[in-house]
Protein backbone atom coordinates (compact mmCIF):
# COMPACT_ATOMS: atom_id res chain seq x y z
CA UNK A 1 0.00 0.00 0.00
CA UNK A 2 2.69 2.50 1.06
CA UNK A 3 4.60 3.97 -1.87
CA UNK A 4 1.94 2.87 -4.33
CA UNK A 5 -0.56 5.58 -3.39
CA UNK A 6 -0.53 8.90 -5.23
CA UNK A 7 -2.13 11.76 -3.37
CA UNK A 8 -2.45 15.38 -4.55
CA UNK A 9 -1.90 18.20 -2.09
CA UNK A 10 -2.45 21.79 -2.90
CA UNK A 11 0.83 23.74 -2.69
CA UNK A 12 1.49 27.38 -1.77
CA UNK A 13 3.48 28.17 -4.95
CA UNK A 14 2.89 30.36 -8.01
CA UNK A 15 2.00 29.58 -10.79
CA UNK A 16 -1.00 27.90 -9.15
CA UNK A 17 -1.19 25.21 -11.88
CA UNK A 18 2.37 23.99 -11.16
CA UNK A 19 2.05 20.21 -11.03
CA UNK A 20 3.61 18.83 -7.83
CA UNK A 21 2.16 15.38 -7.09
CA UNK A 22 2.61 14.13 -3.50
CA UNK A 23 3.58 17.59 -2.23
CA UNK A 24 3.94 17.69 1.57
CA UNK A 25 3.73 21.17 3.21
CA UNK A 26 6.47 22.68 5.41
CA UNK A 27 6.77 21.36 8.97
CA UNK A 28 9.07 24.10 10.28
CA UNK A 29 8.19 27.79 10.52
CA UNK A 30 10.01 30.44 8.48
CA UNK A 31 11.69 31.77 11.66
CA UNK A 32 12.93 28.28 12.68
CA UNK A 33 14.42 27.65 9.22
CA UNK A 34 16.13 31.07 9.19
CA UNK A 35 17.32 30.70 12.81
CA UNK A 36 18.99 27.32 12.14
CA UNK A 37 20.73 28.70 9.01
CA UNK A 38 21.74 31.85 10.91
CA UNK A 39 23.13 30.01 13.96
CA UNK A 40 24.96 27.41 11.82
CA UNK A 41 26.51 30.19 9.70
CA UNK A 42 27.50 32.15 12.80
CA UNK A 43 29.22 29.04 14.21
CA UNK A 44 31.18 28.51 10.98
CA UNK A 45 32.19 32.18 10.77
CA UNK A 46 33.22 32.30 14.49
CA UNK A 47 35.27 29.10 14.13
CA UNK A 48 37.09 30.32 11.01
CA UNK A 49 37.64 33.82 12.47
CA UNK A 50 39.15 32.31 15.59
CA UNK A 51 41.34 29.79 13.70
CA UNK A 52 42.49 32.40 11.17
CA UNK A 53 44.07 34.41 14.02
CA UNK A 54 46.91 31.86 14.04
CA UNK A 55 48.05 32.94 10.55
CA UNK A 56 50.01 36.11 9.87
CA UNK A 57 47.41 37.62 7.52
CA UNK A 58 45.46 40.88 7.38
CA UNK A 59 41.99 41.35 8.87
CA UNK A 60 40.56 41.58 5.33
CA UNK A 61 42.04 38.16 4.53
CA UNK A 62 40.60 36.74 7.78
CA UNK A 63 37.16 38.09 6.82
CA UNK A 64 37.58 36.62 3.33
CA UNK A 65 38.38 33.20 4.89
CA UNK A 66 35.08 33.46 6.82
CA UNK A 67 33.16 34.36 3.64
CA UNK A 68 34.64 31.49 1.61
CA UNK A 69 33.93 28.97 4.39
CA UNK A 70 30.33 30.22 4.73
CA UNK A 71 29.61 30.39 0.98
CA UNK A 72 31.45 27.09 0.30
CA UNK A 73 29.43 25.17 2.89
CA UNK A 74 26.20 26.82 1.68
CA UNK A 75 27.02 25.73 -1.89
CA UNK A 76 27.96 22.16 -0.95
CA UNK A 77 25.43 21.36 1.81
CA UNK A 78 22.32 23.47 1.08
CA UNK A 79 22.53 23.83 -2.72
CA UNK A 80 24.14 20.39 -3.15
CA UNK A 81 21.15 18.81 -1.39
CA UNK A 82 18.74 20.61 -3.75
CA UNK A 83 20.58 19.52 -6.92
CA UNK A 84 20.56 15.84 -6.00
CA UNK A 85 17.11 15.70 -4.35
CA UNK A 86 14.53 16.09 -7.13
CA UNK A 87 11.74 14.98 -4.81
CA UNK A 88 12.49 17.20 -1.80
CA UNK A 89 8.93 18.58 -1.86
CA UNK A 90 7.57 15.09 -1.13
CA UNK A 91 9.61 14.76 2.10
CA UNK A 92 7.21 13.46 4.78
CA UNK A 93 9.45 14.16 7.78
CA UNK A 94 10.89 17.53 8.92
CA UNK A 95 14.18 17.09 7.00
CA UNK A 96 15.87 20.47 7.52
CA UNK A 97 17.30 20.86 3.99
CA UNK A 98 14.02 19.82 2.36
CA UNK A 99 12.29 22.44 4.54
CA UNK A 100 14.75 25.12 3.33
CA UNK A 101 13.81 24.48 -0.31
CA UNK A 102 10.08 24.06 0.36
CA UNK A 103 10.23 27.49 2.00
CA UNK A 104 12.50 29.14 -0.61
CA UNK A 105 10.25 27.90 -3.43
CA UNK A 106 7.68 30.43 -2.17
CA UNK A 107 10.06 33.06 -3.57
CA UNK A 108 10.89 31.06 -6.72
CA UNK A 109 8.72 28.06 -7.59
CA UNK A 110 11.21 27.01 -10.29
CA UNK A 111 13.03 25.20 -7.44
CA UNK A 112 10.07 22.93 -6.65
CA UNK A 113 9.26 22.76 -10.39
CA UNK A 114 12.86 21.75 -11.23
CA UNK A 115 13.50 24.31 -13.96
CA UNK A 116 16.53 23.15 -15.93
CA UNK A 117 18.32 26.54 -15.91
CA UNK A 118 18.02 26.67 -12.09
CA UNK A 119 19.34 23.10 -11.74
CA UNK A 120 22.22 23.77 -14.18
CA UNK A 121 23.32 26.89 -12.27
CA UNK A 122 22.87 25.23 -8.85
CA UNK A 123 24.71 22.11 -10.09
CA UNK A 124 27.76 24.09 -11.26
CA UNK A 125 27.63 26.09 -8.00
CA UNK A 126 27.41 23.04 -5.72
CA UNK A 127 29.84 20.73 -7.54
CA UNK A 128 32.53 23.19 -8.74
CA UNK A 129 32.23 26.45 -6.81
CA UNK A 130 31.54 24.83 -3.41
CA UNK A 131 34.77 22.80 -3.17
CA UNK A 132 36.70 25.66 -4.85
CA UNK A 133 35.45 28.03 -2.09
CA UNK A 134 36.84 25.72 0.60
CA UNK A 135 40.13 25.61 -1.33
CA UNK A 136 40.10 29.44 -1.20
CA UNK A 137 39.95 29.30 2.64
CA UNK A 138 43.12 27.18 2.55
CA UNK A 139 44.77 29.32 -0.17
CA UNK A 140 44.29 32.54 1.84
CA UNK A 141 45.57 30.95 5.08
CA UNK A 142 48.73 29.68 3.37
CA UNK A 143 49.11 32.87 1.25
CA UNK A 144 49.30 30.72 -1.88
CA UNK A 145 50.31 32.33 -5.15
CA UNK A 146 46.99 31.25 -6.73
CA UNK A 147 44.86 32.77 -3.94
CA UNK A 148 43.73 35.88 -5.87
CA UNK A 149 43.11 34.19 -9.21
CA UNK A 150 41.12 31.43 -7.46
CA UNK A 151 38.95 33.92 -5.56
CA UNK A 152 38.45 35.88 -8.80
CA UNK A 153 37.39 32.73 -10.68
CA UNK A 154 34.83 31.66 -8.06
CA UNK A 155 33.40 35.19 -7.69
CA UNK A 156 32.98 35.46 -11.45
CA UNK A 157 31.25 32.06 -11.50
CA UNK A 158 28.88 33.20 -8.74
CA UNK A 159 28.08 36.41 -10.68
CA UNK A 160 27.55 34.51 -13.96
CA UNK A 161 25.24 32.04 -12.20
CA UNK A 162 23.23 34.84 -10.60
CA UNK A 163 22.94 36.56 -14.00
CA UNK A 164 21.60 33.39 -15.67
CA UNK A 165 19.25 32.89 -12.69
CA UNK A 166 17.67 36.35 -13.00
CA UNK A 167 17.68 36.59 -16.82
CA UNK A 168 15.93 33.22 -17.27
CA UNK A 169 13.31 34.20 -14.66
CA UNK A 170 12.71 37.49 -16.51
CA UNK A 171 12.46 35.74 -19.90
CA UNK A 172 10.03 33.17 -18.51
CA UNK A 173 7.65 35.87 -17.23
CA UNK A 174 9.06 36.70 -13.77
CA UNK A 175 5.99 35.21 -12.09
CA UNK A 176 7.29 32.52 -9.73
CA UNK A 177 6.85 34.16 -6.32
CA UNK A 178 3.88 33.39 -4.05
CA UNK A 179 3.60 37.09 -3.08
CA UNK A 180 5.54 40.38 -3.39
CA UNK A 181 6.85 39.71 0.15
CA UNK A 182 8.48 36.43 -0.92
CA UNK A 183 9.63 38.00 -4.20
CA UNK A 184 11.57 40.76 -2.43
CA UNK A 185 12.81 38.83 0.62
CA UNK A 186 13.67 35.44 -0.94
CA UNK A 187 14.11 35.90 -4.70
CA UNK A 188 15.88 39.29 -4.43
CA UNK A 189 16.97 39.58 -0.77
CA UNK A 190 18.47 36.12 -0.22
CA UNK A 191 20.57 36.38 -3.39
CA UNK A 192 21.68 39.96 -2.82
CA UNK A 193 24.86 39.02 -0.87
CA UNK A 194 25.91 36.84 -3.83
CA UNK A 195 25.85 39.90 -6.11
CA UNK A 196 27.50 42.45 -3.79
CA UNK A 197 30.25 40.34 -2.16
CA UNK A 198 31.50 38.54 -5.32
CA UNK A 199 31.55 41.93 -7.13
CA UNK A 200 33.69 43.48 -4.38
CA UNK A 201 36.04 40.45 -4.30
CA UNK A 202 36.33 40.33 -8.12
CA UNK A 203 37.23 44.06 -8.26
CA UNK A 204 39.77 43.64 -5.42
CA UNK A 205 41.43 40.63 -7.11
CA UNK A 206 41.46 42.38 -10.53
CA UNK A 207 43.31 45.32 -8.98
CA UNK A 208 45.77 43.12 -7.04
CA UNK A 209 46.55 41.01 -10.11
CA UNK A 210 46.87 43.98 -12.49
CA UNK A 211 49.23 45.58 -9.98
CA UNK A 212 51.34 42.39 -9.69
CA UNK A 213 51.88 41.73 -13.41
CA UNK A 214 53.93 44.84 -14.40
CA UNK A 215 56.15 44.28 -11.33
CA UNK A 216 57.11 40.86 -12.71
CA UNK A 217 57.91 42.35 -16.13
CA UNK A 218 60.15 44.93 -14.42
CA UNK A 219 61.98 42.26 -12.40
CA UNK A 220 62.56 40.16 -15.52
CA UNK A 221 64.00 43.16 -17.37
CA UNK A 222 66.34 43.94 -14.48
CA UNK A 223 67.73 40.40 -14.36
CA UNK A 224 68.28 40.54 -18.14
CA UNK A 225 70.37 43.71 -17.73
CA UNK A 226 72.50 41.96 -15.15
CA UNK B 1 -4.14 41.99 -45.59
CA UNK B 2 -0.37 41.67 -45.29
CA UNK B 3 0.77 41.07 -41.71
CA UNK B 4 -2.67 39.91 -40.67
CA UNK B 5 -2.36 36.49 -42.27
CA UNK B 6 -0.99 33.58 -40.23
CA UNK B 7 0.34 30.69 -42.28
CA UNK B 8 1.85 27.47 -40.89
CA UNK B 9 4.87 25.93 -42.56
CA UNK B 10 6.32 22.62 -41.56
CA UNK B 11 9.84 23.06 -40.20
CA UNK B 12 12.83 20.68 -40.26
CA UNK B 13 13.44 20.79 -36.49
CA UNK B 14 13.09 18.29 -33.64
CA UNK B 15 10.92 17.99 -31.57
CA UNK B 16 8.46 17.79 -34.47
CA UNK B 17 5.68 19.43 -32.43
CA UNK B 18 7.71 22.61 -31.84
CA UNK B 19 5.31 25.44 -32.62
CA UNK B 20 6.86 27.90 -35.11
CA UNK B 21 4.10 29.90 -36.84
CA UNK B 22 5.11 31.63 -40.09
CA UNK B 23 8.34 29.65 -40.37
CA UNK B 24 10.18 30.31 -43.66
CA UNK B 25 12.74 27.66 -44.75
CA UNK B 26 16.43 28.37 -45.43
CA UNK B 27 17.28 30.08 -48.74
CA UNK B 28 21.03 29.44 -48.63
CA UNK B 29 22.69 26.03 -48.66
CA UNK B 30 24.72 24.71 -45.72
CA UNK B 31 27.95 25.09 -47.73
CA UNK B 32 27.17 28.72 -48.66
CA UNK B 33 26.45 29.62 -45.02
CA UNK B 34 29.65 27.95 -43.83
CA UNK B 35 31.73 29.42 -46.67
CA UNK B 36 30.63 32.99 -45.88
CA UNK B 37 31.43 32.51 -42.16
CA UNK B 38 34.76 30.86 -43.03
CA UNK B 39 35.86 33.55 -45.50
CA UNK B 40 34.74 36.41 -43.19
CA UNK B 41 36.62 34.83 -40.26
CA UNK B 42 39.73 34.28 -42.40
CA UNK B 43 39.65 37.95 -43.44
CA UNK B 44 39.42 39.09 -39.80
CA UNK B 45 42.23 36.75 -38.71
CA UNK B 46 44.50 37.78 -41.63
CA UNK B 47 43.92 41.47 -40.96
CA UNK B 48 44.67 41.16 -37.23
CA UNK B 49 47.70 38.91 -37.84
CA UNK B 50 49.11 41.42 -40.28
CA UNK B 51 48.40 44.45 -38.04
CA UNK B 52 49.74 42.69 -34.92
CA UNK B 53 53.18 42.44 -36.59
CA UNK B 54 53.66 46.13 -35.82
CA UNK B 55 53.72 45.47 -32.07
CA UNK B 56 56.70 44.01 -30.21
CA UNK B 57 54.82 40.97 -28.92
CA UNK B 58 55.32 37.19 -29.11
CA UNK B 59 53.76 34.98 -31.81
CA UNK B 60 51.47 33.46 -29.13
CA UNK B 61 50.19 36.95 -28.28
CA UNK B 62 49.62 37.67 -31.99
CA UNK B 63 47.62 34.44 -32.32
CA UNK B 64 45.64 35.38 -29.19
CA UNK B 65 44.82 38.76 -30.76
CA UNK B 66 43.43 36.89 -33.80
CA UNK B 67 41.35 34.61 -31.55
CA UNK B 68 39.88 37.49 -29.52
CA UNK B 69 39.00 39.46 -32.67
CA UNK B 70 37.35 36.37 -34.23
CA UNK B 71 35.45 35.29 -31.11
CA UNK B 72 34.51 38.90 -30.21
CA UNK B 73 32.99 39.61 -33.62
CA UNK B 74 31.21 36.21 -33.60
CA UNK B 75 29.73 37.08 -30.18
CA UNK B 76 28.65 40.60 -31.16
CA UNK B 77 27.49 40.11 -34.78
CA UNK B 78 26.29 36.50 -35.05
CA UNK B 79 25.13 35.80 -31.48
CA UNK B 80 24.05 39.43 -30.94
CA UNK B 81 21.72 39.16 -33.95
CA UNK B 82 20.16 35.98 -32.51
CA UNK B 83 19.55 37.51 -29.07
CA UNK B 84 17.72 40.56 -30.41
CA UNK B 85 15.88 38.85 -33.31
CA UNK B 86 13.21 36.63 -31.75
CA UNK B 87 11.51 36.19 -35.13
CA UNK B 88 14.54 35.27 -37.26
CA UNK B 89 12.83 32.07 -38.43
CA UNK B 90 10.11 34.15 -40.12
CA UNK B 91 12.63 36.06 -42.27
CA UNK B 92 11.25 36.06 -45.83
CA UNK B 93 14.45 37.24 -47.55
CA UNK B 94 17.88 35.55 -47.58
CA UNK B 95 19.18 37.58 -44.58
CA UNK B 96 22.56 35.95 -43.89
CA UNK B 97 22.38 36.02 -40.07
CA UNK B 98 18.82 34.68 -40.05
CA UNK B 99 20.02 31.88 -42.35
CA UNK B 100 22.84 31.02 -39.90
CA UNK B 101 20.36 30.48 -37.06
CA UNK B 102 17.76 28.71 -39.22
CA UNK B 103 20.54 26.29 -40.18
CA UNK B 104 22.06 25.96 -36.68
CA UNK B 105 18.62 25.24 -35.18
CA UNK B 106 18.81 21.87 -37.00
CA UNK B 107 21.47 20.98 -34.42
CA UNK B 108 19.63 22.62 -31.51
CA UNK B 109 15.99 23.63 -32.00
CA UNK B 110 16.06 25.55 -28.71
CA UNK B 111 17.38 28.45 -30.80
CA UNK B 112 14.28 28.62 -33.02
CA UNK B 113 12.13 27.75 -29.97
CA UNK B 114 13.73 30.56 -27.92
CA UNK B 115 14.58 28.52 -24.85
CA UNK B 116 15.23 30.97 -22.00
CA UNK B 117 18.50 29.33 -20.84
CA UNK B 118 19.90 29.59 -24.39
CA UNK B 119 18.85 33.26 -24.70
CA UNK B 120 20.29 34.08 -21.23
CA UNK B 121 23.68 32.52 -22.10
CA UNK B 122 23.76 34.05 -25.60
CA UNK B 123 22.70 37.43 -24.17
CA UNK B 124 25.54 37.50 -21.63
CA UNK B 125 27.94 36.29 -24.35
CA UNK B 126 26.89 38.92 -26.93
CA UNK B 127 26.50 41.92 -24.63
CA UNK B 128 29.36 41.40 -22.13
CA UNK B 129 31.85 38.89 -23.55
CA UNK B 130 31.77 40.24 -27.13
CA UNK B 131 32.93 43.80 -26.34
CA UNK B 132 35.30 42.41 -23.65
CA UNK B 133 36.94 40.20 -26.32
CA UNK B 134 37.63 43.23 -28.53
CA UNK B 135 39.08 44.98 -25.48
CA UNK B 136 41.38 41.94 -25.07
CA UNK B 137 42.74 42.50 -28.63
CA UNK B 138 43.67 46.04 -27.58
CA UNK B 139 45.01 44.93 -24.17
CA UNK B 140 47.38 42.37 -25.73
CA UNK B 141 48.63 44.83 -28.36
CA UNK B 142 49.40 47.47 -25.73
CA UNK B 143 50.71 44.86 -23.24
CA UNK B 144 48.32 46.24 -20.61
CA UNK B 145 48.68 45.11 -17.02
CA UNK B 146 45.07 43.78 -17.06
CA UNK B 147 45.60 41.72 -20.23
CA UNK B 148 45.85 38.31 -18.50
CA UNK B 149 43.10 38.84 -15.96
CA UNK B 150 40.76 40.10 -18.72
CA UNK B 151 41.47 37.09 -20.96
CA UNK B 152 40.99 34.80 -17.96
CA UNK B 153 37.63 36.42 -17.11
CA UNK B 154 36.24 36.11 -20.66
CA UNK B 155 37.48 32.52 -21.07
CA UNK B 156 35.85 31.53 -17.79
CA UNK B 157 32.61 33.20 -18.91
CA UNK B 158 32.70 31.27 -22.20
CA UNK B 159 33.27 28.00 -20.32
CA UNK B 160 30.47 28.74 -17.82
CA UNK B 161 28.10 29.58 -20.69
CA UNK B 162 28.97 26.37 -22.55
CA UNK B 163 28.43 24.36 -19.34
CA UNK B 164 24.94 25.88 -18.80
CA UNK B 165 24.20 25.29 -22.50
CA UNK B 166 25.00 21.56 -22.38
CA UNK B 167 23.63 20.85 -18.87
CA UNK B 168 20.23 22.44 -19.63
CA UNK B 169 20.02 20.47 -22.90
CA UNK B 170 20.80 17.24 -21.01
CA UNK B 171 18.23 18.02 -18.28
CA UNK B 172 15.56 18.81 -20.88
CA UNK B 173 16.01 15.43 -22.61
CA UNK B 174 18.88 16.07 -25.06
CA UNK B 175 16.51 15.70 -28.03
CA UNK B 176 16.76 18.94 -30.01
CA UNK B 177 18.79 17.83 -33.08
CA UNK B 178 17.14 17.00 -36.42
CA UNK B 179 19.53 14.03 -36.89
CA UNK B 180 22.70 12.51 -35.37
CA UNK B 181 24.64 14.32 -38.15
CA UNK B 182 23.43 17.75 -36.99
CA UNK B 183 23.85 16.71 -33.33
CA UNK B 184 27.55 15.93 -33.77
CA UNK B 185 28.49 18.61 -36.33
CA UNK B 186 26.48 21.60 -35.05
CA UNK B 187 25.56 20.96 -31.39
CA UNK B 188 28.89 19.34 -30.46
CA UNK B 189 31.31 20.28 -33.28
CA UNK B 190 30.53 23.99 -33.67
CA UNK B 191 30.89 24.59 -29.93
CA UNK B 192 34.01 22.47 -29.51
CA UNK B 193 36.47 25.36 -30.13
CA UNK B 194 34.74 27.31 -27.34
CA UNK B 195 35.58 24.53 -24.86
CA UNK B 196 39.17 23.79 -25.95
CA UNK B 197 40.52 27.31 -26.62
CA UNK B 198 39.07 29.06 -23.51
CA UNK B 199 40.37 26.14 -21.39
CA UNK B 200 43.88 26.54 -22.80
CA UNK B 201 43.79 30.35 -22.36
CA UNK B 202 42.39 30.09 -18.81
CA UNK B 203 45.17 27.64 -17.79
CA UNK B 204 47.85 29.86 -19.41
CA UNK B 205 46.54 32.99 -17.63
CA UNK B 206 46.22 31.16 -14.28
CA UNK B 207 49.89 30.12 -14.52
CA UNK B 208 51.10 33.58 -15.63
CA UNK B 209 49.15 35.30 -12.81
CA UNK B 210 50.19 32.79 -10.13
CA UNK B 211 53.80 33.25 -11.22
CA UNK B 212 53.51 37.06 -11.09
CA UNK B 213 52.01 37.37 -7.59
CA UNK B 214 54.88 35.96 -5.47
CA UNK B 215 57.36 38.16 -7.40
CA UNK B 216 55.46 41.22 -6.25
CA UNK B 217 55.49 40.00 -2.63
CA UNK B 218 59.27 39.52 -2.89
CA UNK B 219 59.81 42.99 -4.35
CA UNK B 220 57.71 44.57 -1.59
CA UNK B 221 59.72 42.73 1.08
CA UNK B 222 63.01 43.90 -0.47
CA UNK B 223 61.96 47.53 -0.49
CA UNK B 224 60.88 47.20 3.15
CA UNK B 225 64.34 45.91 4.11
CA UNK B 226 65.87 48.95 2.42
Amino acid sequence: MAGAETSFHTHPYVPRDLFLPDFVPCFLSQSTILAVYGVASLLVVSLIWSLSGRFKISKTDRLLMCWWAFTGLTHIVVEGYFVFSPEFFKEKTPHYLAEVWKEYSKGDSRYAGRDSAVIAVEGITAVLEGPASLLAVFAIATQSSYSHILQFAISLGQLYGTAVYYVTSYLDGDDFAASPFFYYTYFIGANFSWIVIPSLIAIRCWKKISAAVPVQVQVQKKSKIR
Side-chain angles (χ1 to χ4, degrees), chain A:
Chain A
M1 305 281 265
E5 62 182 327
T6 305
S7 57
F8 291 88
H9 292 269
T10 52
H11 60 68
Y13 310 127
V14 166
R16 293 300 304 140
D17 61 356
L18 178 67
F19 184 64
L20 293 177
D22 300 324
F23 170 78
V24 179
C26 274
F27 293 94
L28 305 174
S29 69
Q30 185 199 40
S31 51
T32 308
I33 292 170
L34 284 176
V36 170
Y37 186 57
V39 169
S41 304
L42 212 65
L43 275 173
V44 168
V45 166
S46 309
L47 182 73
I48 298 293
W49 178 260
S50 143
L51 284 174
S52 67
R54 298 184 184 189
F55 301 96
K56 286 180 182 171
I57 54 173
S58 68
K59 273 195 179 169
T60 310
D61 276 339
R62 289 178 67 191
L63 280 173
L64 284 169
M65 281 177 71
C66 294
W67 162 253
W68 290 118
F70 159 73
T71 195
L73 289 174
T74 298
H75 291 339
I76 294 169
V77 179
V78 184
E79 292 168 271
Y81 168 81
F82 163 75
V83 172
F84 298 105
S85 307
E87 306 205 320
F88 72 85
F89 60 84
K90 299 181 184 176
E91 195 62 58
K92 287 190 182 71
T93 52
H95 184 303
Y96 177 71
L97 294 171
E99 296 289 297
V100 168
W101 294 112
K102 281 182 189 176
E103 184 65 27
Y104 183 78
S105 294
K106 293 176 188 167
D108 186 352
S109 67
R110 297 181 300 167
Y111 277 79
R114 292 205 88 64
D115 176 87
S116 56
V118 166
I119 304 171
V121 167
E122 289 289 8
I124 295 167
T125 306
V127 174
L128 297 179
E129 289 164 21
S133 299
L134 299 187
L135 181 62
V137 178
F138 173 80
I140 296 170
T142 57
Q143 291 176 274
S144 298
S145 58
Y146 62 84
S147 169
H148 290 123
I149 186 73
L150 176 65
Q151 293 182 67
F152 182 76
I154 312 168
S155 298
L156 226 62
Q158 291 172 324
L159 289 172
Y160 198 112
T162 311
V164 171
Y165 179 66
Y166 283 122
V167 173
T168 49
S169 173
Y170 170 78
L171 291 169
D172 286 335
D174 198 22
D175 188 28
F176 303 105
S179 75
F181 171 78
F182 290 118
Y183 183 85
Y184 288 106
T185 53
Y186 292 0
F187 182 64
I188 304 291
N191 294 297
F192 195 67
S193 312
W194 279 274
I195 301 172
V196 176
I197 300 174
S199 298
L200 293 174
I201 296 177
I203 293 167
R204 182 176 182 264
C205 293
W206 178 288
K207 284 181 182 170
K208 292 240 173 213
I209 289 165
S210 299
V213 175
V215 174
Q216 194 201 27
V217 174
Q218 222 179 337
V219 170
Q220 280 173 341
K221 277 180 188 162
K222 275 181 188 167
S223 37
K224 271 178 193 167
I225 293 162
R226 280 168 204 164

